[in-house]
Amino acid sequence: MKVNHQSKNKLKLVLGKKIQLKDVIKKIIIITIALGVIYWCYNQTNFSLAKLRAGWGGIVDIVGRMLPPRFDILADMIGPTIETVQISICGTILAILFSLPLGFFAASNITPHRLLYSISRFILNAARAIPDMIFALIFVAAVGLGPFPGTLAIGFSSCGMLGKFFADTIESIDSGVLEALQATGASRLQTLVYAVIPQVLPEFISLSLFRWEMNFRASTILGIVGAGGIGFELQAAIRLFNYRDMTMILIIILVIVSIVDFISSKIRSKIS
């Protein structure tokens, strides 16, 4: 019996070593493939530190043209800056209004019908796949230049991300609360109001604030296609080679982004 027990221990030890060796080989293969993919990506993008060093003179030249910033245009940039903030706020609110119903329908645990689930998921995927610049071009062609197409572009492009995260948040809620309410005969609306919304509201507010930060940065770029805001002034400065004006506009954008980030962080900390 003693010999048999020792044999079993040796067998377990051998099997354990084989399993460990198999895991090591598997990890080596995965790491090798990952490194190969990384090398392939760098190779295909012509990444070269030598080229960067050779182009250092061009970087110094363009930075020299950008300095010093033209502070005398600061007063003229107040209006476009306010307009950019307005675009980001209105666009984010529009995105929230779009993403709320889509998020509910795209959550597998509360969607009223599988067809609605599939359609909502497709819409959210499409909104995330289409760049906000494309939305801006479409709406500029539809309603003309100005802040309105920028607001629409921000709203439609943002609802994809917000709706998906909202749906994922709903799917991760405590199902026990849902089952308890449903067992009492609560309607679907009552279940949403008393079981779903209280659990997902803080997370959704936090995500909406984070998206607002992203939307402000996005709204500065949409001006390039004529969607209003300070981005329009930035594009004009670039086209006219007014690099000092461009530097002043970039400083303004940096300051406003920092303020938006500060406000958003404070609100999120209060919620959490």
Side-chain angles (χ1 to χ4, degrees):
M1 293 293 293
K2 187 175 181 181
V3 174
N4 188 30
H5 184 66
Q6 289 177 346
S7 299
K8 286 182 178 179
N9 288 338
K10 287 182 180 179
L11 181 61
K12 288 180 179 178
L13 185 62
V14 171
L15 289 174
K17 288 182 178 179
K18 285 184 177 180
I19 292 172
Q20 289 178 357
L21 181 62
K22 185 178 179 181
D23 290 339
V24 170
I25 293 173
K26 185 178 179 181
K27 289 178 181 178
I28 290 173
I29 292 172
I30 292 172
I31 291 172
T32 303
I33 293 173
L35 290 175
V37 170
I38 293 171
Y39 173 78
W40 173 67
C41 292
Y42 273 98
N43 187 52
Q44 291 298 308
T45 54
N46 298 320
F47 185 86
S48 173
L49 292 175
K51 287 184 179 180
L52 181 61
R53 285 195 299 268
W56 184 252
I59 296 174
V60 172
D61 177 63
I62 194 70
V63 171
R65 297 184 188 183
M66 291 169 63
L67 298 174
R70 281 194 59 191
F71 289 96
D72 57 309
I73 67 167
L74 187 59
D76 297 331
M77 293 298 110
I78 294 176
T81 303
I82 294 173
E83 188 174 78
T84 303
V85 175
Q86 291 168 339
I87 291 172
S88 67
I89 293 173
C90 293
T92 303
I93 293 172
L94 200 62
I96 293 171
L97 295 176
F98 289 150
S99 63
L100 279 172
L102 289 172
F104 279 118
F105 293 145
S108 58
N109 56 339
I110 65 166
T111 187
H113 197 278
R114 193 69 189 176
L115 180 61
L116 280 174
Y117 170 84
S118 300
I119 294 173
S120 298
R121 283 284 176 175
F122 176 78
I123 293 172
L124 293 176
N125 290 337
R128 292 198 310 278
I130 301 172
D132 47 13
M133 192 71 74
I134 302 300
F135 278 118
L137 285 170
I138 292 171
F139 289 121
V140 164
V143 300
L145 301 174
F148 183 45
T151 302
L152 293 174
I154 290 292
F156 277 86
S157 64
S158 300
C159 76
M161 188 202 88
L162 280 179
K164 182 185 184 303
F165 280 120
F166 191 32
D168 292 344
T169 304
I170 293 173
E171 289 178 344
S172 64
I173 64 175
D174 184 8
S175 59
V177 180
L178 286 175
E179 293 169 358
L181 273 175
Q182 290 169 354
T184 62
S187 65
R188 186 177 297 276
L189 180 60
Q190 289 173 326
T191 303
L192 289 176
V193 172
Y194 296 108
V196 177
I197 293 177
Q199 294 189 67
V200 302
L201 187 60
E203 184 69 19
F204 188 61
I205 292 174
S206 180
L207 288 170
S208 299
L209 289 169
F210 176 69
R211 186 66 215 191
W212 175 45
E213 297 175 31
M214 295 178 63
N215 284 344
F216 178 80
R217 288 187 286 271
S219 60
T220 62
I221 304 301
L222 295 182
I224 292 175
V225 295
I230 199 170
F232 186 80
E233 303 296 332
L234 179 63
Q235 177 65 4
I238 293 171
R239 286 180 176 176
L240 296 173
F241 303 105
N242 293 329
Y243 296 118
R244 292 174 60 198
D245 291 14
M246 181 185 72
T247 303
M248 189 67 248
I249 294 170
L250 291 175
I251 291 173
I252 294 170
I253 293 173
L254 175 61
V255 171
I256 301 301
V257 166
S258 301
I259 294 172
V260 169
D261 178 67
F262 176 77
I263 294 171
S264 179
S265 298
K266 284 295 182 181
I267 296 174
R268 284 201 302 268
S269 64
K270 293 290 184 181
I271 294 170
S272 60

